[in-house]
Structures are given as structure tokens and as C-alpha cells.
Amino acid sequence: MTDKKSAPQLEASYTTDLLIVGGGIVGLWCAQRAAKRGLKTTLIDKGKIGQGASGGFLGALMPHQPVRWSEEKQYQLEALLALENEVASLEEQTGINCGYLRSGRVIPTRTEKKRAERLTWRDAAKLNWPAKTHSHQPLQWRVEEEPPTGDWLASEMAPLGYEFDTMTARVAPRQLVQALRATISPNVKILENTAVTDLADGTLITLQDGSKIAAAKTIVAAGHHAFPLIENTAQKNLGRGVKGQAALLKPLHSVAADQPIIYFGGVYIIAHDNGLIAIGSTSEKRFTSPTDTDHQLDDLIEKATELCQTLEGAEVVERWAGVRPNATGRHPMIGPLPIAPNIIMATGGFKISFGVAHKMADDAIAFATGEQPTLPKMFQIAYHEACAK
């Protein structure tokens, strides 16, 4: 985008260097990066900023398994390591506590087969993870032979001990969204409750009220809404939404905020700075209502209580449901559409979006400004298009 006069003027009621469609975590990071580059940027969302999947409260930042190392896992690793500094910078700029903590993660071990497998993971972490973070905290995957003590992870749920990784962190999603919005507000035009009906080729975008925005480039970071939005242009469906349900609990007794995340069988248990504990999450490919909770969340709370005795009798403060973007290749989808290169995709992170969104934004903005960032094969548009055949 070296020529800022390249945005078309015909029929447009408003002109911008960069239009970002979607005000969730990825769109906000894109807007923050664009503003830093001095681009005239417009951020548009069909609802409220951060109200979709980014408006939850789970905030788990878990690395991929360290075995069978790949460029995709390396990408996520680098993103997770960089996020600590990114969040610290946001907090310094805004005074908003984003609830970031490298708390670690515990996984109960219940079978000999799993214990042998986890020993392999321990050795792979030594090989593929750096020894320390910038804050000199050792990064490791430990295998503990004895059952845990205390009420946080029930000993009967971990008869053969447990694994503990020190890479895992957590963040408060709503506070991170708030901080990002605060940093972009002075420099980015924000349009809420404004739906896009036609992207065309990404240079003349039609809104629901019939007005048009002219843009040199358009980044589509609209979560699962991105897939139907580009389907006519891409001439295929490149993804779908997967629903997740979560609960926020207030335990009967105070819990240390630095407790490690418990993860087992798809259940996350996360202690946050506000004294509340987040429980999540389901992965529902079929659902009728994207925002209603049901018996599946009740089952999740029951499983979490079996894992963590601290949750016995806890009050359910909030029940939440949202839909996350799952691209056809199950990985983030980043880059220009081959058939419409002015449209740049930045979505599809599914479960890892919060940990890699800032890095996805760096790559999306690079494409928007004429650069060619190097991406893992499975993050490229061509890979997702092949998976859609």
C-alpha cells in the first residue's frame, strides 16, 4: 500500500487505506498494527467490538504438544513467547490489567500408556522448546510420578501422577480486548453494528444500508462470519463455526490466582486474578443457537468439579456460549485470496486464536502493504482451498 491514492473513489461515501472487517481479537490486533504503520484504517463489525467468540472469559494459552515438531507448531511457539511482552506493552500504555500469567498447566495421568507417552513429550520439549523465556523462567514439560496434593487437582483423578508444562499461560480475554480497543481508538475509525453485504474484490465494499466504502486493501478477520462473507468471491466454502460453552464460577473459598491451568479430556479449569474460575469448553460442530447454553455446559461443570475439589458448591456467576472459526484445514488461514488478492484473510484460529492473533496480524498487515511474509504451508490459503475440495 505504498500508493495511498490507489483506493477507488467511484461511488464510495468513505475512503480508507485499509478496511478491517471484524472487531474480534484478530481484527483488533490488525488495527493496532496498521495504526502503528500510519495507515488510514477503518475497523468495522456487524455487532459490538469483541462481543463474539473474543468476548468469552476462558483465556487459555496452551502450546501444541512438543512431539512431531512442525513449522505450524514453531509459529505458535514464537507467538506465545512474544505475547508476554506484547501484553506488558499494552498494560503500560493503557493501565488496563490484561490478566496475563504464565501459570503452567497440569494434566492428570491415569494410565501407564499415557505416562509412557508423556515421557516422550518431556524429552521432545527439551529438544523443541527454548530453555528459558525472556523473563528467565525455565520452559519444560515435567512428569511427576506421585498424585498431587491439595484440593486444586483431585488426587484420585491422577492416580499415576501428572504432567506439568511451564509454557502454558492465561489471559483475561475481555480485558485484553478492552486494552486493544483503547490503544487504537485515537487513530482508527471504528464502525460498530455495521454489516458488510458485499465485499466484491475488496476495494469497493457495500454495507447493509447501501453505502459503500472504498479501500486499497481489505482484511477479513470476522471469525466464523468470514467464511460465508467470502464464499461468493472465493467460489467455495473455506470454513465453518464451532460452538463452545463455558462457565465462570465463584468458589466458596478463595483460590490463589497463580494456580496452574488444569486440562483433561477437553475440560479447562482456569483461575483468574478476580478470584473467579473459568470452566470450558465444548466443541460443537452442530448446534441450533450460537449463544444459548444447555445441558452440555452442565455436564462440563460436573466433570470440572470431579477434577477440582475446590469447585464443590461454587456459585455459577455466568454461563457463556460463542462460535469460533474453524477453517477447512483446521489451522489459521492467512493471506490474500488468489481470485481477489485485495482481500486478505486472517481467521480460522479455532482454539489457538488468542495466543497467535498478534502474529496473524503482523502477517496480514505485511500482505496488505505489499510484503510477502513466510507462512507455514498449512496456514496458506492454497492449503485451505485444497482441503475444501
Side-chain angles (χ1 to χ4, degrees):
M1 202 181 304
T2 56
D3 179 7
K4 293 191 177 183
K5 295 181 181 180
S6 60
Q9 305 296 316
L10 183 63
E11 299 183 58
S13 57
Y14 180 76
T15 301
T16 188
D17 291 335
L18 179 66
L19 176 67
I20 300 169
V21 182
I25 189 65
V26 178
L28 284 164
W29 276 115
C30 286
Q32 193 242 23
R33 294 318 206 226
K36 281 187 173 182
R37 292 201 180 202
L39 301 175
K40 181 182 180 183
T41 303
T42 303
L43 177 64
I44 185 171
D45 196 282
K46 67 185 297 184
K48 295 289 187 182
I49 297 296
Q51 79 170 22
S54 298
F57 41 68
L58 204 60
L61 305 172
M62 300 200 312
H64 288 302
Q65 299 166 1
V67 293
R68 296 180 294 279
W69 202 247
S70 65
E71 57 181 355
E72 293 79 30
K73 292 185 177 184
Q74 183 65 31
Y75 186 101
Q76 189 216 26
L77 173 69
E78 292 172 5
L80 289 174
L81 291 173
L83 187 57
E84 188 168 355
N85 279 338
E86 294 281 358
V87 171
S89 178
L90 282 175
E91 291 178 334
E92 183 177 358
Q93 292 176 58
T94 65
I96 297 171
N97 177 10
C98 297
Y100 180 92
L101 178 70
R102 196 178 294 279
S103 56
R105 164 182 54 172
V106 293
I107 307 174
T109 307
R110 299 177 59 80
T111 67
E112 292 290 351
K113 180 180 178 181
K114 285 295 183 182
R115 180 157 68 174
E117 178 183 75
R118 299 309 195 253
L119 289 170
T120 302
W121 292 12
R122 179 197 63 189
D123 295 340
K126 292 178 182 178
L127 180 65
N128 296 313
W129 289 359
K132 295 180 179 180
T133 66
H134 74 278
S135 58
H136 307 295
Q137 181 178 358
L139 294 180
Q140 53 189 220
W141 192 296
R142 299 201 305 266
V143 177
E144 304 291 347
E145 301 288 343
E146 298 298 324
T149 58
D151 295 334
W152 185 241
L153 175 59
S155 58
E156 61 269 24
M157 299 300 294
L160 298 180
Y162 58 95
E163 303 116 63
F164 184 87
D165 88 77
T166 60
M167 170 72 77
T168 293
R170 50 91 163 155
V171 71
R174 293 170 181 173
Q175 291 158 227
L176 179 55
V177 164
Q178 183 186 3
L180 280 166
R181 178 163 187 165
T183 61
I184 69 171
S185 292
N187 305 306
V188 174
K189 184 179 181 68
I190 298 175
L191 301 175
E192 295 181 294
N193 301 311
T194 305
V196 172
T197 57
D198 185 12
L199 281 173
D201 68 349
T203 61
L204 191 62
I205 295 89
T206 305
L207 306 183
Q208 194 170 33
D209 63 2
S211 63
K212 298 180 186 295
I213 296 178
K217 298 286 184 180
T218 295
I219 293 177
V220 180
H224 73 100
H225 297 295
F227 306 126
L229 189 59
I230 65 164
E231 189 167 354
N232 286 340
T233 302
Q235 300 177 5
K236 60 184 64 178
N237 182 0
L238 292 177
R240 64 178 176 182
V242 176
K243 180 178 177 180
Q245 298 186 48
L248 197 60
L249 276 60
K250 182 179 181 180
L252 294 176
H253 307 287
S254 61
V255 176
D258 61 353
Q259 293 281 11
I261 293 173
I262 296 175
Y263 177 75
F264 182 73
V267 179
Y268 301 78
I269 305 173
I270 306 172
H272 283 284
D273 289 341
N274 58 7
L276 302 180
I277 299 175
I279 307 299
S281 63
T282 61
S283 292
E284 305 165 42
K285 296 179 181 178
R286 294 180 177 84
F287 51 89
T288 54
S289 171
T291 57
D292 288 340
T293 61
D294 55 27
H295 67 91
Q296 295 180 80
L297 181 56
D298 297 327
D299 294 343
L300 203 68
I301 295 172
E302 183 178 344
K303 291 177 182 177
T305 304
E306 291 177 358
L307 284 165
C308 178
Q309 295 174 345
T310 302
L311 298 177
E312 289 284 353
E315 173 191 355
V316 179
V317 175
E318 183 178 351
R319 297 166 67 94
W320 179 90
V323 181
R324 298 163 293 181
N326 188 17
T328 51
R330 291 189 59 83
H331 293 279
M333 181 167 61
I334 310 165
L337 288 176
I339 200 167
N342 289 317
I343 298 175
I344 298 156
M345 302 303 298
T347 189
F350 192 29
K351 294 183 178 182
I352 67 170
S353 292
F354 265 83
V356 301
H358 58 294
K359 193 168 174 62
M360 291 174 66
D362 285 334
D363 293 324
I365 295 299
F367 280 119
T369 53
E371 301 167 33
Q372 294 295 319
T374 301
L375 289 172
K377 176 184 176 181
M378 292 182 182
F379 290 13
Q380 297 172 22
I381 303 296
Y383 174 79
H384 292 282
E385 288 184 326
C387 290
K389 291 181 180 178

